[in-house]
């Protein structure tokens, strides 16, 4: 038997550590009195995993019974090992394994999985409530359990063992504490609060045991300062290490070239690497892993990779848990059976009651705290949380250290594990069942009526899709002999969510306010899904998506709060600070004097001085003189050295003052009065004045050495010599300006990405808002809110683009490159899947494209905007043709507008078109008429736009110029604006010169814009790019005059979109007003308005006449 002097060395011996030479090395059973051959231990490992898996399959995932089976099988194996050498040989490696090794093998991954499932933003919103709850829970449980253990325990445990045992029982298992609630749809907000509390308790307990593990058993060796420093490192140092490890893990896991297997292996390895590195440097690896898990989210992994990695980690943690219960069952079974008495059973039941009583007492104490949180906490949640004090693997892995750290070694150390393991099984089984039962009985998992209505709307939408699919399949010839009645019967969804409990008349008839609140939460979920999808598609940066998702989760708990773009723009404060900082630095920046100097006569001396002060060598010489004075200044400040070198310091001071004076004198000789116009020259002159005063003071002190006031004044003036180093900042300021400029551009680029992603999420929410609102009034309110928020975000986009045009141009260019490469990747995947490209060629081409995407990380942050004459090719209908560009370049006029200027007014006749070069304008209008009277427009639900924003590259006034009709909007400058103006006469001259193609192309562009704006959902699969429509005639514009008729061929025409005017069905006289999609049932139309324009989108392949009618879009 080996002995040690500290707990740290004890861990290297065996599962149980002892410092008594007269006792065997295994206190949980007889020692090996035979030649030890360690073999077949892997049988125990894999047998435990297989038994756990089979038990879960047979017992239908009843975790408590599975753990009970594993514990009992382990106990039986331990008893067999106690009596039979053959079995003892198999389990002997486990008994010789240090308990700290099991702690390091199993706990890191389990802690990481538990913290990875916690939403950081939810915990962040209620951080102080969770911290206080954790502290109060730990303190209450410790005091209560410690009192019961000291009072009722009969196993002759000393005070230290009782306290350590009580601390171990305070740890709540973060995995099992909420697993039962997750299966019944309880909100993640509440489960994360419970799990966050348990992680705090676990971290605190691990830090406490780590202090014992790193110290000697002698209490007198503890030093208060060492403990405080150790706690600081364990809490703050581990958190900082965890944060930086998170940054590294994100970079590794989001690498484009890593495959699935590599990501899984790296994630598993990095968890243990983080733990061991932090522990190696004397900090808490558990706290670091909790930090890592909290900071990782779905965006920290490659797209569609999070599910695979989390499933693998959950599988490993489940296998670890089964091994822990099986191993500790073996350890308990290897102990002597005589210590299991009737009192052991009584004491176990007493501990179970005590643990739950302590949890109930905790809930009573923390209820006032939780009621102040943003979430709806009430007494029903208090009942559920009262049953959440489940103990598990955390307590089990710390149980052996109770014996290892105690000074008085008891005879039955396996009883520590026995009590904790039985208590964990009881709480896992009984408490989990009671949590589930309480939540169901108290109605916490019942669906509210607003929620039921939302689900019912979604189900109706799915059933509608199923019916349309069946109708489409019926037209397939290969499916003509299918029994469609059976298909319709089996595919019918009969899911009817009902509320299990009712809480009064308010639930029977929910008000608009309740429905709006329920819909608001749905909108938030839709937005977060949109942000994540945009990020996975590459259209939104990871950092921008993470900010948007975090902001959405932060505003979710606020009742009635719809997140606007101003809520997201928390960066504005930082950006304004950066701009002010840059402005200050620019003011202080040193500008070298470049004066127009004329020497009177032929004064060679002045010419020489002039050449000296404008030379680079002169500037560097002044910097060198300043740097050289550092060493004398250090000696001057150091009292001992100053006393030994007084005369030398005085001489050096004279020398440096002579150099400073010479520099300023030369500049004054040339610049004269202009010398003081430069701030740095004023500072140099002030340094010289202070230096002269310093020299005079030293001289007067020699004359009057007994004057105390003069001596004190001289000392103060001597310390002011430090200002001689200020001119060195002339070199540093340009560097700081560049750094500030880079940060400003980064913040602008980030905010532009955030705002653009927010606009897209609002558009996605507007498309789905009909499915989450059961009443028309609710739909209209939601639509108005989303539209208002979108307009504000579009305005913010314009302001950002005006502020940083070069940054936005670079960002748009980068995004365009990424979109092109992403489309190439999709085409490559299609060719690969069809066998056109073999596997090797596909892999190589995929690497090339991914390399180009990765190279975008080094893309310039700013690209200078093009000159005004380069903007004419941006007009779509010019098609970048030199003939058109040259024609209009001679006839354009550059115009300028200030903030608030009106470009054109609603109701005025057009004077021409405006091409915006820089700046932003807002368009205010009543409902667009689209060439129809007010009466037919009033009879239909018309989608109106009251405010719109235009930025650089957009054209104003095209439609009014084409029709020579009044302008339908008022354009007001929101910023200073620069635009090209093409007069109406010049435009029509172009129509005559390039007849008829130019006028047709302008109409085609307007038709495509109108169709994509109002019917984006219907024509989503169509490639309606202007250039393709012109070259391949995939879509074209037809003109229909008043009373003229047009026959529609739905075989070749896939969509007929009325973009301007008013037509009727020739047979039924059913009116159709722009913008709308002409239904398939209409075979002939007649024009009603003076001019009607139709966008005809051709089918790529002829469609069947009996095809199901297409849904008519409503404008």
């Amino acid at each position: 038997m080996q002995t040690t002097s500290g707990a740290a060395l004890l861990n290297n011996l065996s599962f149980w550590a002892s410092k008594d030479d007269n006792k065997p090395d295994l206190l949980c059973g007889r020692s090996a009195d035979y030649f030890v051959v360690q073999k077949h231990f892997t049988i125990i490992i894999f047998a435990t995993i297989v038994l756990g898996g089979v038990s879960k399959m047979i017992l239908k995932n009843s975790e408590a019974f599975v753990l009970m089976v594993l514990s009992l099988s382990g106990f039986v194996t331990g008893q067999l090992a106690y009596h039979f050498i053959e079995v003892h040989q198999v389990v002997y490696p486990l008994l010789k394994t240090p308990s700290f090794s099991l702690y390091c093998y199993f706990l890191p991954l389990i802690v990481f999985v538990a913290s990875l499932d916690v939403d950081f933003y939810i915990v962040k919103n209620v951080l102080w409530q969770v911290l206080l709850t954790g502290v109060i829970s730990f303190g209450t449980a410790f005091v209560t359990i410690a009192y019961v253990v000291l009072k009722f325990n009969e196993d002759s445990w000393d005070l230290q063992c009782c306290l350590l045992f009580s601390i171990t029982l305070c740890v709540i298992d973060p995995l099992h504490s909420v697993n039962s609630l997750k299966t019944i749809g309880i909100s993640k907000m509440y489960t994360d609060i419970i799990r966050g509390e348990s992680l705090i308790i676990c971290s605190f307990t691990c830090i406490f045991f780590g202090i014992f593990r790193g110290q000697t058993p002698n209490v007198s060796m503890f030093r208060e300062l060492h403990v405080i420093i150790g706690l600081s490192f364990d809490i703050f140092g581990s958190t900082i290490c965890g944060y930086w490890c998170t940054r590294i893990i994100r970079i590794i896991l989001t690498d484009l070239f890593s495959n699935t297997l590599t990501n899984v292996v790296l994630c598993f390895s990095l968890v243990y690497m983080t733990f061991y590195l932090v522990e190696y440097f004397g900090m808490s690896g558990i706290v670091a892993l909790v930090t890592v898990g909290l900071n990782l989210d779905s965006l920290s992994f490659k797209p569609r990779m999070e599910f695979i990695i989390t499933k693998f980690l959950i599988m490993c943690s489940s296998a670890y848990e089964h091994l822990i219960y099986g191993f500790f069952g073996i350890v308990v079974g290897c102990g002597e059976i005589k210590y299991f008495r009737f009192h052991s059973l009584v004491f176990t039941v007493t501990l179970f009651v005590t643990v739950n009583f302590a949890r109930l007492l905790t809930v009573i104490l923390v209820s006032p705290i939780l009621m102040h949180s943003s979430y709806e906490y009430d007494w029903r949640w208090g009942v559920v949380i009262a049953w959440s004090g489940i103990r598990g693997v955390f307590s089990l892995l710390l149980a052996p250290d109770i014996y290892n750290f105690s000074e008085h070694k008891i005879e039955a150390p396996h009883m520590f594990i026995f009590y904790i393991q039985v208590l964990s099984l009881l709480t896992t089984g009984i408490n989990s069942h009671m949590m589930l039962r309480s939540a169901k009985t108290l109605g916490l998992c019942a669906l509210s009526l607003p929620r039921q209505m939302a689900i019912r709307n979604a189900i109706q939408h799915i059933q509608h899709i199923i019916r349309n699919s069946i109708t489409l399949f019926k037209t397939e010839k290969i499916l003509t002999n299918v029994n469609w009645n059976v298909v319709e019967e089996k595919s019918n969804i009969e899911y009817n969510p009902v509320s299990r409990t009712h809480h009064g008349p308010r639930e029977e008839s929910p008000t608009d306010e309740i429905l709006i609140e329920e819909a608001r939460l749905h909108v938030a979920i839709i937005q977060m899904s949109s942000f994540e999808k945009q990020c996975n598609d590459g259209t939104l940066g990871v950092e921008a998506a993470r900010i948007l998702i975090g902001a959405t989760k932060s505003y979710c708990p606020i009742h009635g709060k719809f997140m606007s773009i101003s809520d997201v723009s928390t960066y504005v404060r930082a950006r304004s600070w950066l701009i002010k900082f840059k402005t200050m630095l620019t003011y202080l920046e040193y500008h070298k004097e470049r004066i127009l100097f004329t020497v009177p006569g032929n004064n060679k001396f002045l010419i020489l001085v002039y050449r000296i002060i404008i030379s680079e060598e002169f500037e560097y010489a002044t910097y060198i003189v300043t740097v050289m004075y550092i060493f004398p200044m250090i000696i001057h400040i150091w009292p001992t050295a100053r006393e030994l070198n007084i005369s030398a310091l005085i001489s050096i001071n004279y020398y440096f003052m002579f150099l400073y004076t010479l520099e300023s004198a030369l500049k004054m000789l040339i610049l004269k009065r202009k010398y003081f116009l430069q701030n740095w020259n004023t500072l140099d002159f002030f340094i010289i004045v202070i230096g002269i005063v310093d020299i005079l003071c030293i001289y007067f002190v020699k004359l009057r050495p007994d004057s105390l006031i003069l001596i004190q004044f001289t000392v103060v003036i001597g310390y002011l010599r430090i200002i001689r180093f200020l001119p060195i900042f002339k070199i540093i300021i340009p560097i700081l300006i560049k750094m500030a400029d880079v940060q400003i551009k980064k913040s602008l680029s980030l905010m532009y990405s955030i705002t653009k992603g927010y606009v897209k999420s609002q558009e996605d929410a507007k498309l789905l808002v009909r499915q989450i609102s059961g009443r028309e009034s609710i739909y209209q309110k939601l639509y108005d809110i989303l539209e208002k928020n979108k307009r504000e975000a579009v305005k913010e986009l314009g302001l950002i683009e005006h502020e940083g045009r070069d940054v936005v141009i670079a960002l748009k260019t980068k995004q365009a490159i990424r979109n092109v490469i992403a489309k190439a990747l999709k085409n490559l995947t299609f060719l690969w899947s069809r066998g056109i490209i073999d596997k090797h060629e596909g892999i190589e081409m995929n690497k090339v494209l991914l390399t180009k995407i990765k190279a975008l990380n080094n893309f310039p942050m700013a690209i200078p905007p093009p000159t005004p004459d380069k903007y004419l090719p941006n007009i779509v209908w010019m098609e970048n043709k030199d003939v058109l560009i040259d024609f209009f370049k001679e006839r354009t006029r550059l115009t300028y507008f200030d903030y608030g200027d009106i470009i054109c007014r609603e109701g005025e006749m057009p004077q021409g078109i405006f091409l915006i070069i820089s700046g932003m304008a807002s368009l205010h209008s009543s409902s667009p008429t689209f060439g129809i009277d007010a009466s037919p427009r009033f009879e239909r639900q018309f989608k109106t736009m009251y405010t719109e924003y235009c930025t650089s590259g957009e054209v104003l006034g095209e439609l009014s110029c084409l029709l020579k009709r009044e302008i339908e909007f008022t354009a007001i400058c929101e910023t200073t604006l620069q635009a090209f103006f093409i007069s109406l006469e010049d435009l029509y001259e172009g129509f005559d010169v390039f007849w008829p193609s130019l006028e047709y192309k302008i109409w085609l562009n307007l038709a495509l814009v109108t169709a994509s704006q109002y019917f984006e959902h219907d024509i989503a699969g169509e490639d309606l790019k202007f250039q393709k429509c012109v070259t391949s005639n995939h879509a074209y514009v037809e003109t229909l005059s008043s009373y003229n008729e047009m026959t529609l061929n739905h075989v070749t025409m896939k969509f007929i979109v009325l973009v301007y005017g008013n037509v009727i069905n020739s047979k039924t006289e059913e009116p159709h007003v722009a913008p709308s999609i002409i239904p398939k049932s209409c075979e002939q139309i007649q024009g009603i308005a003076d001019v009607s324009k139709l966008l005809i989108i051709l089918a790529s392949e002829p469609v069947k006449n009996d095809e199901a009618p297409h849904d008519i879009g409503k404008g």
Side-chain angles (χ1 to χ4, degrees):
M1 175 64 190
Q2 301 176 8
T3 62
T4 62
S5 60
L9 296 177
L10 294 176
N11 293 318
N12 298 321
L13 293 177
S14 63
F15 194 89
W16 300 111
S18 176
K19 59 180 181 179
D20 190 350
D21 292 336
N22 298 323
K23 291 187 178 181
D25 57 346
L26 300 176
L27 301 181
C28 55
R30 62 185 179 84
S31 59
D33 51 1
Y34 53 84
F35 180 72
V36 178
V37 180
Q38 298 184 4
K39 60 180 181 179
H40 306 309
F41 178 65
T42 52
I43 296 176
I44 296 292
I45 297 176
F46 290 108
T48 303
I49 296 174
V50 170
L51 180 60
V54 173
S55 301
K56 290 187 74 171
M57 183 176 62
I58 296 174
L59 299 173
K60 298 180 179 179
N61 292 325
S62 179
E63 196 66 27
F65 289 105
V66 172
L67 298 179
M68 189 180 300
V69 169
L70 291 170
S71 300
L72 289 175
S73 62
F75 180 79
V76 172
T77 304
Q79 282 295 298
L80 292 175
Y82 187 80
H83 293 93
F84 300 100
I85 294 178
E86 293 79 5
V87 183
H88 192 272
Q89 286 181 326
V90 177
V91 303
Y92 187 76
L94 171 64
L95 303 178
K96 290 290 292 182
T97 301
S99 59
F100 184 62
S101 297
L102 295 180
Y103 174 92
C104 295
Y105 295 158
F106 296 135
L107 198 57
L109 186 67
I110 296 174
V111 169
F112 178 74
V113 170
S115 58
L116 187 63
D117 194 43
V118 178
D119 195 310
F120 171 74
Y121 296 100
I122 293 177
V123 176
K124 178 183 175 183
N125 291 339
V126 288
L127 181 60
W128 70 273
Q129 289 99 329
V130 173
L131 286 173
L132 287 177
T133 302
V135 173
I136 294 173
S137 175
F138 182 84
T140 305
F142 173 71
V143 173
T144 308
I145 296 173
Y147 174 78
V148 172
V149 171
L150 289 170
K151 189 76 174 177
F152 298 100
N153 174 52
E154 296 181 0
D155 289 333
S156 66
W157 295 352
D158 62 352
L159 177 62
Q160 190 176 14
C161 286
C162 292
L163 296 180
L164 291 173
F165 181 79
S166 302
I167 293 174
T168 306
L169 278 184
C170 291
V171 182
I172 299 175
D173 192 292
L175 289 177
H176 291 292
S177 58
V178 295
N179 277 354
S180 58
L181 294 179
K182 292 169 65 176
T183 60
I184 59 175
I186 296 295
S187 173
K188 199 173 187 301
M189 298 177 184
Y190 300 103
T191 58
D192 282 353
I193 290 175
I194 298 174
R195 184 164 282 179
E197 171 206 356
S198 59
L199 286 173
I200 290 172
I201 297 174
C202 175
S203 301
F204 178 77
T205 308
C206 291
I207 291 173
F208 181 81
F209 274 82
I211 294 174
F212 269 89
R213 193 176 292 115
Q215 301 288 341
T216 58
N218 190 359
V219 180
S220 62
M221 293 297 294
F222 283 96
R223 294 291 183 268
E224 295 176 355
L225 181 60
H226 293 167
V227 172
I228 293 173
I229 294 175
L231 283 174
S232 301
F233 273 100
D234 286 334
I235 297 174
F236 302 107
S238 302
T239 303
I240 295 172
C241 288
Y243 172 77
W244 284 106
C245 288
T246 304
R247 300 289 296 269
I248 296 172
I249 291 172
R250 283 175 179 170
I251 295 172
I252 294 174
L253 294 182
T254 53
D255 183 61
L256 293 173
F257 295 97
S258 59
N259 54 31
T260 304
L261 179 61
T262 305
N263 278 332
V264 171
V265 173
L266 279 174
C267 187
F268 183 84
S269 305
L270 288 170
V271 170
Y272 283 96
M273 180 64 71
T274 300
F275 174 80
Y276 289 124
L277 278 177
V278 176
E279 288 283 340
Y280 177 79
F281 288 107
M283 293 174 284
S284 174
I286 298 299
V287 176
L289 285 179
V290 169
T291 306
V292 173
L294 287 175
N295 283 278
L296 289 179
D297 51 26
S298 59
L299 302 178
S300 304
F301 305 90
K302 288 174 63 179
R304 296 173 294 278
M305 197 65 64
E306 180 197 14
F307 177 80
I308 299 173
I309 293 177
T310 52
K311 284 297 180 184
F312 175 78
L313 295 178
I314 291 172
M315 178 189 70
C316 292
S317 65
S318 179
Y320 283 1
E321 190 176 15
H322 293 170
L323 289 173
I324 291 169
Y325 277 88
F327 285 174
F328 280 95
I330 293 173
V331 173
V332 173
C334 287
E336 296 185 23
I337 200 71
K338 65 179 181 179
Y339 294 104
F340 297 100
R341 303 186 300 272
F342 178 74
H343 173 264
S344 301
L345 178 62
V346 175
F347 187 60
T348 303
V349 175
T350 305
L351 286 176
F352 175 75
V353 174
T354 304
V355 165
N356 286 291
F357 172 76
R359 188 63 178 168
L360 177 61
L361 186 59
T362 300
V363 171
I364 295 173
L365 293 175
V366 302
S367 290
I369 298 174
L370 295 178
M371 285 180 178
H372 283 82
S373 65
S374 301
Y375 307 109
E376 297 178 358
Y377 176 85
D378 55 16
W379 66 271
R380 295 180 299 161
W381 277 111
V383 173
V384 174
I385 295 175
W387 289 105
S388 63
I390 299 173
R391 272 56 178 175
V393 294
F394 290 80
S395 300
L396 270 177
L397 288 171
L398 294 174
D401 287 333
I402 301 173
Y403 174 81
N404 294 338
F405 296 155
S406 62
E407 294 183 359
H408 175 69
K409 303 300 181 182
I410 64 172
E411 296 181 354
H414 58 283
M415 295 304 293
F416 293 128
I417 296 179
F418 170 75
Y419 290 131
I420 293 176
Q421 189 162 3
V422 173
L423 191 63
S424 67
L425 292 173
L426 289 175
T427 53
T428 302
I430 298 175
N431 288 30
S432 297
H433 175 74
M434 292 304 299
M435 284 179 69
L436 197 62
R437 187 72 177 270
S438 301
K440 290 181 178 179
T441 304
L442 297 174
L444 294 176
C445 57
L447 295 176
S448 62
L449 287 181
R451 179 68 174 167
Q452 292 179 45
M453 294 173 65
I455 295 178
R456 192 175 294 113
N457 289 335
I459 292 173
Q460 289 175 357
H461 181 67
I462 295 172
Q463 288 178 334
H464 178 69
I465 294 174
I466 292 174
R467 286 194 297 269
N468 289 343
S469 301
I470 293 175
T471 304
L472 183 62
F473 288 150
K474 285 179 179 179
T475 62
E476 298 289 340
K477 293 181 180 179
I478 197 173
L479 301 175
T480 53
N481 58 347
V482 172
N483 190 334
W484 291 108
N485 293 329
V486 177
V487 173
E488 291 175 356
E489 179 184 353
K490 296 298 182 182
S491 60
N492 186 38
I493 301 176
E494 297 180 352
Y495 180 75
N496 185 26
V498 295
S499 179
R500 298 182 178 85
T501 58
H502 301 282
H503 307 290
R506 176 184 168 186
E507 286 290 324
E508 295 295 336
S509 180
T511 61
D512 282 3
E513 183 182 358
I514 298 174
L515 293 174
I516 279 283
E517 180 62 20
E518 190 72 27
R520 182 185 69 86
L521 298 177
H522 277 278
V523 169
I525 295 172
I526 293 171
Q527 286 179 323
M528 287 188 286
S529 301
S530 175
F531 299 145
E532 190 164 347
K533 184 178 183 302
Q534 292 178 61
C535 182
N536 293 336
D537 293 342
T539 58
L540 186 64
V542 175
E543 186 179 359
R546 186 172 286 117
I547 291 173
L548 285 166
I549 292 175
T552 306
K553 291 179 179 178
S554 298
Y555 286 105
C556 264
I558 303 176
H559 185 81
K561 177 66 176 177
F562 284 85
M563 185 183 69
S564 64
I565 191 61
S566 58
D567 297 323
V568 187
S569 306
T570 53
Y571 91 106
V572 171
R573 290 188 296 271
R575 185 180 63 173
S576 61
W577 176 83
L578 283 171
I579 292 175
K580 292 178 182 177
F581 181 64
K582 181 186 174 183
T583 304
M584 181 187 69
L585 291 176
T586 305
Y587 175 76
L588 295 176
E589 187 178 11
Y590 175 69
H591 300 284
K592 193 173 180 181
E593 294 84 357
R594 293 292 182 184
I595 61 172
L596 186 61
F597 177 70
T598 57
V599 182
N602 191 16
N603 194 327
K604 296 182 179 180
F605 175 74
L606 291 179
I607 295 175
L608 176 64
V609 172
Y610 172 73
R611 291 177 178 175
I612 290 175
I613 66 170
I614 66 172
S615 64
E616 296 288 341
E617 293 80 2
F618 182 76
E619 295 294 330
Y620 293 141
T622 57
Y623 297 146
I624 292 172
V625 170
T626 303
V627 173
M628 287 174 60
Y629 191 68
I630 293 176
F631 183 69
M633 190 65 198
I634 293 174
I635 297 177
H636 177 78
I637 295 174
W638 191 4
T640 305
R642 185 174 63 243
E643 293 295 331
L644 298 175
N645 300 278
I646 293 177
S647 58
L649 288 175
I650 293 174
S651 301
I652 292 173
N653 187 37
Y654 291 158
Y655 173 72
F656 277 97
M657 281 304 304
F658 169 74
L659 294 178
Y660 287 139
T661 306
L662 178 63
E663 174 198 356
S664 297
L666 292 176
K667 287 184 177 181
M668 286 182 182
L669 187 63
I670 301 299
L671 299 176
K672 296 181 174 59
R673 294 181 180 179
K674 294 181 180 178
Y675 176 83
F676 293 99
L677 297 179
Q678 175 67 261
N679 295 323
W680 290 103
N681 292 339
T682 305
L683 177 64
D684 291 340
F685 184 78
F686 179 72
I687 291 172
I688 294 172
V689 171
I690 295 295
I692 294 173
V693 173
D694 181 27
I695 293 173
L696 292 175
C697 287
I698 294 174
Y699 176 74
F700 288 128
V701 166
K702 291 180 179 179
L703 297 178
R704 298 280 302 275
D706 56 342
S707 177
L708 183 60
I709 296 177
L710 183 59
I711 293 174
Q712 291 176 343
F713 183 74
T714 304
V715 171
V716 173
I717 291 295
Y719 282 112
L720 286 180
R721 295 178 187 177
I722 197 83
I723 66 174
R724 297 179 185 179
F725 299 110
L726 292 179
I728 203 68
F729 283 97
K730 288 191 286 189
I731 304 176
I732 301 174
I733 284 178
I735 300 174
L736 294 177
I737 290 176
K738 290 181 180 179
M739 293 172 61
D741 192 51
V742 169
Q743 294 303 318
I744 290 172
K745 290 179 179 179
K746 281 184 178 180
S747 65
L748 280 172
S749 177
L750 176 63
M751 192 56 203
Y752 190 86
S753 298
I754 289 172
T755 310
K756 195 173 181 181
Y758 178 83
V759 171
K760 184 67 171 67
S761 73
Q762 296 298 104
E763 294 174 351
D764 294 341
K766 285 199 299 182
L767 290 175
L768 300 173
V769 73
R770 177 68 74 178
Q771 276 73 45
I772 62 177
S773 56
R775 297 178 184 174
E776 186 63 29
S777 60
I778 303 301
Y779 166 74
Q780 193 59 44
K781 288 180 181 178
L782 287 176
Y783 190 90
D784 292 342
I785 293 171
L786 294 174
E787 183 64 24
K788 177 185 175 184
N789 288 342
K790 178 188 172 183
R791 288 199 302 268
E792 291 179 355
V794 172
K795 180 179 179 181
E796 183 70 17
L797 278 177
L799 294 174
I800 295 173
E801 186 168 354
H802 175 70
E803 183 178 349
R805 290 180 61 199
D806 53 347
V807 175
V808 174
I809 289 173
L811 191 63
K812 287 182 177 180
T813 306
K814 179 180 177 180
Q815 189 59 56
I817 297 171
R818 188 180 182 90
N819 291 341
V820 171
I821 299 175
K823 190 170 184 179
L825 281 171
K826 288 183 180 179
N827 293 333
L828 176 63
T829 304
F830 173 79
L831 296 174
W832 192 352
S833 63
R834 294 299 186 270
I836 301 174
I837 297 177
D838 62 21
K839 184 177 180 180
H840 176 72
E841 292 174 346
I843 291 174
E844 293 301 319
M845 294 178 67
N846 189 65
K847 286 182 179 178
V848 172
L849 294 175
L850 290 179
T851 303
K852 290 185 174 296
I853 292 179
K854 195 170 184 179
L856 291 176
N857 295 331
N858 300 321
F859 195 79
M861 195 173 297
I863 296 178
T867 55
D869 59 324
K870 300 294 184 181
Y871 272 91
L872 279 177
N874 292 342
I875 300 179
V876 176
W877 40 264
M878 284 195 183
E879 299 182 88
N880 204 17
K881 292 183 177 180
D882 294 336
V883 177
L884 281 170
I885 294 171
D886 293 338
F887 177 82
F888 283 105
K889 186 183 291 185
E890 297 174 358
R891 292 162 175 81
T892 55
R893 178 164 52 89
L894 195 60
T895 56
Y896 299 89
F897 299 92
D898 290 330
Y899 169 76
D901 287 353
I902 297 177
I903 302 174
C904 53
R905 294 182 184 273
E906 183 176 4
E908 293 180 349
M909 292 301 295
Q911 301 298 318
I913 62 174
F914 293 88
L915 169 62
I916 300 177
I917 297 174
S918 64
M920 183 179 68
S922 59
L923 310 184
H924 304 273
S925 68
S926 54
S927 301
T929 61
F930 292 98
I932 53 180
D933 297 331
S935 53
R937 199 172 70 242
F938 180 75
E939 294 171 359
R940 53 173 284 184
Q941 292 180 352
F942 196 87
K943 179 178 178 181
T944 59
M945 295 187 305
Y946 298 101
T947 305
E948 197 175 352
Y949 294 93
C950 297
T951 57
S952 64
E954 299 191 49
V955 181
L956 304 180
E958 289 174 305
L959 182 61
S960 301
C961 290
L962 284 172
L963 299 169
K964 291 186 177 179
R965 295 184 56 174
E966 295 86 357
I967 300 172
E968 296 184 352
F969 56 83
T970 299
I972 302 175
C973 295
E974 296 291 333
T975 63
T976 56
L977 187 139
Q978 186 180 11
F980 269 136
F981 174 72
I982 302 176
S983 68
L984 189 64
E985 293 77 11
D986 293 332
L987 183 64
Y988 271 84
E989 183 183 350
F991 290 167
D992 295 335
V993 174
F994 303 100
W995 175 265
S997 62
L998 181 58
E999 184 177 2
Y1000 169 79
K1001 288 174 183 177
I1002 296 177
W1003 269 116
L1004 177 61
N1005 179 55
L1006 290 173
L1008 292 174
V1009 171
T1010 303
S1012 62
Q1013 183 175 0
Y1014 288 94
F1015 308 106
E1016 180 183 5
H1017 180 69
D1018 299 273
I1019 61 176
E1022 302 297 323
D1023 187 6
L1024 297 179
K1025 293 181 180 178
F1026 178 83
Q1027 195 62 38
K1028 183 177 181 180
C1029 294
V1030 171
T1031 55
S1032 64
N1033 209 29
H1034 174 60
Y1036 61 92
V1037 175
E1038 281 286 353
T1039 303
L1040 190 62
S1041 302
S1042 177
Y1043 301 110
N1044 288 347
E1045 293 186 345
M1046 176 180 176
T1047 302
L1048 305 180
N1049 185 357
H1050 292 288
V1051 176
T1052 57
M1053 300 176 180
K1054 189 173 183 179
F1055 294 104
I1056 300 131
V1057 185
L1058 180 62
V1059 295
Y1060 187 83
N1062 184 13
V1063 299
I1064 61 170
N1065 190 327
S1066 297
K1067 292 184 178 180
T1068 63
E1069 295 188 356
E1070 178 186 0
H1072 300 284
V1073 293
S1076 64
I1077 296 179
I1078 305 299
K1080 299 286 185 180
S1081 59
C1082 182
E1083 297 179 356
Q1084 192 176 44
I1085 57 175
Q1086 178 182 341
I1088 299 299
D1090 293 338
V1091 176
S1092 297
K1093 295 287 183 177
L1094 297 105
L1095 177 67
I1096 312 296
I1097 302 174
L1098 300 178
S1100 55
E1101 296 180 1
V1103 296
K1104 299 179 179 64
N1105 287 324
D1106 56 349
E1107 186 181 24
H1110 193 279
D1111 291 340
I1112 301 174
K1114 295 292 182 184

